Amino acid sequence: MEEQKEISFRIYRYNPHFDKKPYYDNIRITLEKGITVLRALNFIKENIDSKLTFRAFCQAGICGSCGLKINGVSKLACMTQVFKELEDSKEENVILIEPLNNFTIMRDLVVDMDPLVEKLKYYYSWVNPKMPVHELGKKEYLISEEKFQEYDQATDCILCASCVSECLMMEVNPNYISPAVLLKSYRMNVDERDSMQKTRLKKVTSDGGVWDCTHCYKCVEHCVKNIDIMKGIQGLRNSGMKTVSKRSEGAKHAKAFITDIKRKGRLVEFTLITRTLGFIKPIFMLPMMIKMLLRRRVPPPSFMMSEIPRIEKVRKIFRKLKKKNF
Amino acid sequence: MKYAYFISCINESMTKELDIAFEKWKTDLGIELVKLEEGTCCGGSNLDYVSPKHCWTINARNIALAEKMDLDLVTSCNTCLLSLRHAKHDLDTKEGLKEQVNELLAKDNLEYTGKAQIKHLLWVLNEDFGLDTLARKIKTPLKDLKIAPFYGCHILRPSHLMGVDDPNAPSSLHQLIETLGAQTVPYASANKCCGFHTLLVAEEESLNIAANALEDGIRSGADYIVTPCPLCHTSLDLYQNKALKSRKNLPKNSIPILHLTQLVGLALGYSKKELGIDKHMIL
Ligand code: SF4
Ligand code: SF4
Ligand code: FES
């Protein structure tokens, strides 16, 4: 006989037109092993409560429409096994179902994706072909295997927005570009056929863009397609630093690391602030610095920092690295 | 138990008390450290994109210095942990990378082989030393303390590089705190971000990230937030007043932040002063 269990689905419910505030429904159903969360939700909608509202389509992890928070974590309902999920449940035999974070809720489990779509547009998330218009569709546009490898993985993104829901920078700044759009920008920017790298990069490296990512790795951890989103984020920063974003605070801050390792072996934190922000902005930090001084928490200035022993060897390695490519 | 100890830049400058506290009790537990004096900065999760080749090479060198002494490498900073483990992962898996890097290291009589493990101090206490053994060493059980554990990002994520805790429900720090006799409080920020890495380039947003964690900690009723990362400590302690300015109607105005090494020190009988707790901004 198939393994069966009675399971409580604790489902977030909210219809902004009628409900004063959101609430949770507890729906108990008996399920067999092997059922996905999406099939369980479909069963509830068909047999218990036809008003329950959620999005789904392909049932195969392709369309990206069924992103939800299951037991607090953003994932695809159609790719999540109910019995597997029970292993992580805080309460025995209870599965918590909520809409994605960082979006406005339209009804129950459906969120408003428009702001994400707007961002995709704003950051030119498409290939703008270099090929003259009259040749388009008539000629093949070949790309090298090597170049394709750079963004092959990024093309797996199904825009399910799980990463957007998990992003901690999004939580405090809804206008932040978001990991999914960063990944798309990277994917378009390394495409040989594209003609607007610079324009796109300018936008991506301005306020609310790639420099604002805190490296919390939440997006990487929760991407439903296991895409290394950080590779895209860092790829954009790297091209930004070399071109349109040379003098940005983010670029200056990052470059300080390499300069200091060469100079001292360690980071010279004393001047990191002024090297990143210049001399005007840090004036507002003075009260904090005075307090730091009183508690003797001020980092030593460069001249008081000794170099690491045998730093000459590190410098020599750096000199050799200049000519090496790997 | 002997380890190579990675020198984290911030522990040499802004969070000296982390190592001061560690120095106090390490011999009580029979932990012997050889400081990696010749080691360089790990790149602080910035060098990866400025120049990957530099990042691999300096961290291969850092690890090779430990390997030369036949020791595993221990760090007490989350971001150093990530940089070192990330480099190790690439060196061990990317074809030809190790050989290319070793060509350069040979000039310094060093070789990266991949034999040294990279560990966080928290893991050393939990796994190598063992919590049962630690429990027997306790002099002052912290039984009246309520603690909000704050893991920080880079000891949890990306989990394929870490593999100790479940990043959605981490437990190693909880276990350590409970072994020391204190109580852990449930709160939503245990595995969230402190905002440190963008404090200079996106101050307002980063302070808000820190404030979310601080507010959660305060509302949980905890006496202290404890973190295994000096960068999280900096964001949550040094910037706390600034961060909490945006929050109103909190049950109390501030919450002190302790380094992992200080909490262990308290349980092993050292005073707050000896452990440098009086050097924090929030007392
Ligand atoms: S690493 Fe950056 S983009 Fe990804 S979740 Fe964190 S802040 Fe957002
Ligand atoms: S990057 Fe991954 S998690 Fe984010 S939208 Fe694309 S597939 Fe979904
Ligand atoms: S229904 Fe299409 S991805 Fe889940």
Side-chain angles (χ1 to χ4, degrees):
Chain A
M1 222 187 63
E2 282 291 339
E3 206 185 317
Q4 285 197 342
K5 254 187 201 158
E6 187 176 71
I7 296 159
S8 278
F9 281 81
R10 191 164 297 159
I11 307 177
Y12 180 100
R13 305 298 297 268
Y14 183 48
N15 183 341
H17 299 297
F18 298 107
D19 304 325
K20 278 213 183 82
K21 55 176 195 213
Y23 61 97
Y24 285 83
D25 251 352
N26 248 327
I27 299 175
R28 288 160 84 90
I29 47 175
T30 302
L31 292 178
E32 281 170 10
K33 194 171 180 179
I35 300 274
T36 62
V37 170
L38 179 56
R39 282 186 62 193
L41 290 175
N42 275 329
F43 178 86
I44 293 171
K45 188 165 176 78
E46 279 161 24
N47 299 290
I48 299 171
D49 182 353
S50 61
K51 288 205 194 83
L52 176 65
T53 309
F54 54 90
R55 278 198 192 107
F57 187 64
C58 73
Q59 307 204 34
I62 297 168
C63 73
S65 55
C66 68
L68 290 173
K69 259 171 32 196
I70 305 172
N71 282 339
V73 178
S74 311
K75 41 179 100 167
L76 298 177
C78 71
M79 299 304 283
T80 307
Q81 289 286 326
V82 169
F83 275 54
K84 181 85 192 56
E85 203 50 48
L86 284 177
E87 293 168 15
D88 293 336
S89 288
K90 287 208 177 80
E91 262 176 83
E92 208 181 339
N93 291 335
V94 175
I95 292 186
L96 184 64
I97 308 281
E98 295 164 302
L100 294 178
N101 262 351
N102 299 332
F103 288 96
T104 309
I105 290 148
M106 297 175 81
R107 181 161 165 179
D108 296 345
L109 305 170
V110 173
V111 296
D112 181 8
M113 287 283 177
D114 284 357
L116 185 62
V117 175
E118 286 309 316
K119 281 181 199 168
L120 285 165
K121 287 192 217 157
Y122 179 78
Y123 290 101
Y124 311 114
S125 306
W126 56 84
V127 169
N128 200 53
K130 276 183 195 154
M131 194 181 258
V133 183
H134 65 272
E135 282 177 14
L136 277 176
K138 297 193 183 104
K139 253 168 92 178
E140 256 186 301
Y141 204 142
L142 293 176
I143 43 169
S144 66
E145 171 77 23
E146 194 193 328
K147 268 282 161 193
F148 180 66
Q149 289 299 340
E150 275 185 47
Y151 63 83
D152 182 14
Q153 213 201 12
T155 62
D156 290 350
C157 171
I158 56 171
L159 283 175
C160 69
S162 293
C163 56
V164 185
S165 164
E166 292 289 332
C167 173
L168 294 173
M169 184 46 86
M170 283 290 300
E171 233 173 69
V172 296
N173 179 12
N175 296 325
Y176 173 57
I177 176 168
S178 86
V181 180
L182 282 168
L183 184 71
K184 276 276 179 271
S185 305
Y186 169 77
R187 180 250 169 279
M188 302 305 158
N189 249 37
V190 285
D191 195 314
E192 282 177 305
R193 299 166 299 179
D194 180 66
S195 65
M196 56 193 317
Q197 274 108 343
K198 261 203 174 157
T199 323
R200 191 182 296 111
L201 210 47
K202 261 192 196 143
K203 278 200 173 175
V204 170
T205 51
S206 48
D207 260 6
V210 69
W211 292 115
D212 287 11
C213 162
T214 65
H215 325 174
C216 75
Y217 280 84
K218 271 267 205 174
C219 53
V220 179
E221 193 63 48
H222 295 285
C223 173
V224 304
K225 293 285 169 187
N226 285 321
I227 303 168
D228 185 358
I229 303 173
M230 195 51 80
K231 183 181 162 199
I233 295 175
Q234 307 217 321
L236 287 170
R237 287 181 170 181
N238 185 285
S239 356
M241 289 180 70
K242 290 184 191 149
T243 53
V244 298
S245 187
K246 270 187 203 151
R247 314 206 54 78
S248 65
E249 289 169 357
K252 284 193 260 176
H253 181 252
K255 274 188 209 141
F257 283 81
I258 210 161
T259 325
D260 288 358
I261 294 174
K262 235 188 312 188
R263 246 179 11 149
K264 297 277 181 181
R266 304 244 159 77
L267 193 61
V268 185
E269 266 146 318
F270 187 74
T271 51
L272 190 61
I273 295 178
T274 46
R275 280 182 291 164
T276 304
L277 302 177
F279 286 93
I280 310 285
K281 273 196 193 172
I283 290 176
F284 299 101
M285 295 170 114
L286 268 176
M288 187 173 94
M289 287 183 204
I290 292 168
K291 273 192 219 148
M292 283 171 78
L293 208 70
L294 292 173
R295 293 273 154 82
R296 300 209 199 105
R297 293 185 80 80
V298 177
S302 179
F303 69 88
M304 278 175 69
M305 270 177 77
S306 47
E307 295 156 355
I308 57 166
R310 300 198 310 128
I311 190 159
E312 218 7 82
K313 297 279 179 194
V314 177
R315 291 183 188 143
K316 199 164 165 192
I317 291 176
F318 270 49
R319 278 197 296 277
K320 294 259 182 253
L321 262 174
K322 248 192 189 157
K323 285 170 242 140
K324 278 213 156 205
N325 252 334
F326 54 86
Chain B
M1 291 199 313
K2 192 171 173 183
Y3 299 97
Y5 188 52
F6 190 68
I7 300 180
S8 304
C9 299
I10 195 156
N11 289 343
E12 294 285 289
S13 59
M14 280 150 65
T15 51
K16 286 201 185 107
E17 71 284 353
L18 185 150
D19 279 341
I20 291 175
F22 188 19
E23 286 292 330
K24 281 271 175 298
W25 54 258
K26 64 171 208 265
T27 35
D28 301 355
L29 302 191
I31 297 177
E32 200 182 323
L33 299 178
V34 184
K35 278 197 163 189
L36 212 64
E37 300 285 355
E38 287 179 30
T40 63
C41 165
C42 71
S45 89
N46 281 291
L47 201 54
D48 326 30
Y49 55 86
V50 183
S51 169
K53 62 179 181 184
H54 281 84
C55 196
W56 285 316
T57 312
I58 57 149
N59 283 314
R61 183 181 165 277
N62 285 332
I63 301 168
L65 285 166
E67 287 182 346
K68 199 174 183 177
M69 301 184 277
D70 231 351
L71 296 173
D72 285 341
L73 183 56
V74 171
T75 167
S76 51
C77 167
N78 286 5
T79 296
C80 296
L81 180 77
L82 174 64
S83 302
L84 291 162
R85 286 183 74 95
H86 199 176
K88 179 172 169 57
H89 172 84
D90 288 353
L91 290 160
D92 293 347
T93 55
K94 277 194 194 308
E95 218 183 288
L97 180 59
K98 187 164 87 179
E99 289 71 21
Q100 274 178 304
V101 166
N102 274 335
E103 229 175 83
L104 292 163
L105 296 188
K107 311 252 178 317
D108 197 5
N109 271 329
L110 288 168
E111 189 194 359
Y112 171 87
T113 66
K115 67 179 177 189
Q117 299 295 313
I118 319 290
K119 300 177 179 183
H120 193 286
L121 174 63
L122 172 64
W123 304 346
V124 168
L125 291 172
N126 278 35
E127 288 165 15
D128 296 6
F129 192 73
L131 294 179
D132 294 340
T133 326
L134 181 63
R136 287 196 289 276
K137 297 269 179 193
I138 291 171
K139 292 209 177 101
T140 334
L142 308 174
K143 58 179 183 313
D144 296 323
L145 285 188
K146 281 197 253 144
I147 309 279
F150 188 85
Y151 287 79
C153 297
H154 296 162
I155 198 171
L156 301 174
R157 292 180 294 266
S159 60
H160 73 273
L161 290 179
M162 301 299 157
V164 169
D165 274 301
D166 170 355
N168 301 319
S171 62
S172 59
L173 183 57
H174 285 77
Q175 287 168 24
L176 179 77
I177 293 168
E178 284 158 19
T179 301
L180 300 175
Q183 222 184 305
T184 53
V185 296
Y187 79 124
S189 282
N191 63 350
K192 290 202 178 169
C193 179
C194 71
F196 178 87
H197 285 287
T198 36
L199 265 171
L200 292 183
V201 293
E203 191 187 51
E204 196 188 324
E205 292 87 344
S206 310
L207 288 176
N208 250 322
I209 290 179
N212 283 347
L214 290 164
E215 179 170 348
D216 256 4
I218 290 176
R219 292 197 188 280
S220 74
D223 302 305
Y224 293 103
I225 291 177
V226 169
T227 173
C229 176
L231 307 180
C232 297
H233 188 278
T234 302
S235 186
L236 299 178
D237 175 65
L238 186 58
Y239 285 84
Q240 184 171 139
N241 283 337
K242 228 174 172 181
L244 284 181
K245 268 205 184 111
S246 62
R247 308 293 156 121
K248 300 273 164 320
N249 304 325
L250 294 177
K252 57 180 184 181
N253 297 333
S254 64
I255 182 164
I257 319 293
L258 293 184
H259 295 287
L260 166 75
T261 53
Q262 293 172 323
L263 193 76
V264 175
L266 287 175
L268 294 177
Y270 294 92
S271 70
K272 286 188 178 175
K273 194 161 189 270
E274 282 174 299
L275 299 167
I277 296 176
D278 58 335
K279 293 275 188 297
H280 297 170
M281 302 299 269
I282 308 294
L283 301 176

